Amino acid sequence: TGVVLGLQNPPDDILENNNMKVLYNEGIRIMTIAYECENPFGGGCMARYSPLTKNGKKLLDSYAENEIIFDFSHAGFRTARETFEYIYMTKEALFLSVMASHSGLKDIYEHPRNINDQIADFIYKRDGIIGIPTLTFILDEADNTLNGFMRHIKEVVHKYGQDNVCVGSDGVYKHCLDHKFEKFHKNMFDNIKYQDMWKVRFPEHPVELNDRGKMFTIAKKLMEFYSEKVVEKICGLNFLRFLKKNLPTQINSLNVIR
């Protein structure tokens, strides 16, 4: 078992003193630009038109310098676009590993949490990885089964092949009774500021995944469409390859237990 730590929203003072090094030394290896609202670096998924700021560009430079993987998940539309432009179109293209750890495709379903074709193409061209979550409400307007998840998985495989996609479930791995499952949902999403824009609904994950064995359930569903070899890639080997390539000194000795 291996754990790689990440942050979904960088601290406001990350560029001050030696704070980036402090986070790195604590094990942080993956970071985003913003979570939901605006911050000093750019806009999160609910700040659609907020730009990448000057400090945001400095933050990306710092990510590259410290070998932090940049995660496009949760970035607002404009911030994501300007991040792509800054990384790719600067005088000397910024050497920065990229991914979308838990985002669907806007091509399949329009939701603020999903990435558009431009970002997905860029991640693929950089040999990054796209993790498809199982959150029902960001994958489909009404479908609460694994079918929504499968539509996004199949689209990534169709466009980019079988090597740059993985499961980015964005969910807890535990079992609870149905009434507790619904109560957990209510307690969690009552605290979301933009519930209407998030289009939150119950269940936030397919009920068949309400169990510690959810990865086996996902693998079984994937086996309806792909070979065992491809399913192993989507369920873990692709992500392991990505990490080995981009965090060589930390995890180059990891192996998959089957």
Side-chain angles (χ1 to χ4, degrees):
T1 301
V3 176
V4 179
L5 301 179
L7 291 178
Q8 293 195 111
N9 195 56
D12 288 356
D13 62 353
I14 191 171
L15 296 176
E16 298 174 14
N17 302 317
N18 204 32
N19 290 340
M20 179 68 81
K21 286 294 184 185
V22 170
L23 290 173
Y24 185 90
N25 291 337
E26 291 297 323
I28 301 298
R29 296 294 182 270
I30 301 171
M31 294 185 72
T32 64
I33 199 84
Y35 178 71
E36 185 178 65
C37 305
E38 286 186 355
N39 66 17
F41 314 108
C45 56
M46 294 304 162
R48 181 176 173 83
Y49 299 110
S50 297
L52 178 70
T53 67
K54 288 182 180 179
N55 277 340
K57 293 175 182 179
K58 291 179 182 178
L59 181 64
L60 294 171
D61 291 341
S62 184
Y63 285 168
E65 181 183 343
N66 289 279
E67 297 184 311
I68 298 291
I69 296 170
F70 176 68
D71 187 354
F72 274 100
S73 291
H74 281 277
F77 171 75
R78 181 175 172 183
T79 290
R81 187 192 73 225
E82 293 180 358
T83 296
F84 149 72
E85 291 170 351
Y86 183 72
I87 295 172
Y88 187 67
M89 300 179 185
T90 47
K91 189 175 292 185
E92 293 182 6
L94 201 61
F95 184 78
L96 188 62
S97 302
V98 296
M99 69 186 304
S101 62
H102 54 298
S103 295
L105 302 177
K106 283 187 185 293
D107 236 15
I108 300 298
Y109 183 57
E110 178 67 35
H111 191 280
R113 276 280 288 100
N114 292 337
I115 57 173
N116 63 21
D117 274 354
Q118 183 186 50
I119 302 304
D121 289 349
F122 178 61
I123 291 171
Y124 169 69
K125 289 173 182 175
R126 280 275 175 130
D127 196 27
I129 197 160
I130 299 171
I132 301 298
T134 56
L135 283 172
T136 54
F137 56 87
I138 77 170
L139 300 178
D140 189 271
E141 184 175 8
D143 194 329
N144 291 329
T145 71
L146 272 172
N147 291 333
F149 168 80
M150 287 305 307
R151 279 191 288 274
H152 290 256
I153 287 282
K154 288 192 281 187
E155 184 68 6
V156 177
V157 173
H158 172 71
K159 284 186 172 180
Y160 308 116
Q162 58 189 242
D163 296 325
N164 297 84
V165 62
C166 68
V167 178
S169 63
D170 201 13
V172 293
Y173 288 78
K174 67 176 185 178
H175 174 76
C176 54
L177 300 175
D178 288 345
H179 69 281
K180 290 184 179 179
F181 194 39
E182 189 164 4
K183 184 178 180 181
F184 172 80
H185 166 91
K186 186 177 187 308
N187 290 341
M188 179 177 178
F189 287 100
D190 276 351
N191 295 314
I192 287 183
K193 185 176 180 180
Y194 301 96
Q195 285 204 33
D196 291 341
M197 292 175 66
W198 277 81
K199 306 175 186 178
V200 173
R201 67 174 184 269
F202 179 81
E204 73 266 23
H205 295 278
V207 174
E208 59 263 43
L209 298 184
N210 179 25
D211 189 85
R212 286 184 292 267
K214 63 169 63 178
M215 286 300 293
F216 294 102
T217 303
I218 289 172
K220 185 177 179 181
K221 185 69 175 179
L222 288 165
M223 288 287 287
E224 295 177 14
F225 303 93
Y226 302 112
S227 68
E228 182 178 351
K229 181 179 179 181
V230 174
V231 172
E232 286 182 341
K233 287 183 175 184
I234 295 172
C235 286
L237 291 181
N238 284 343
F239 189 47
L240 181 67
R241 179 189 67 82
F242 173 78
L243 291 177
K244 280 187 171 183
K245 176 183 177 183
N246 295 290
L247 303 175
T249 58
Q250 282 78 33
I251 65 161
N252 58 14
S253 63
L254 282 184
N255 291 304
V256 177
I257 300 175
R258 300 184 184 177

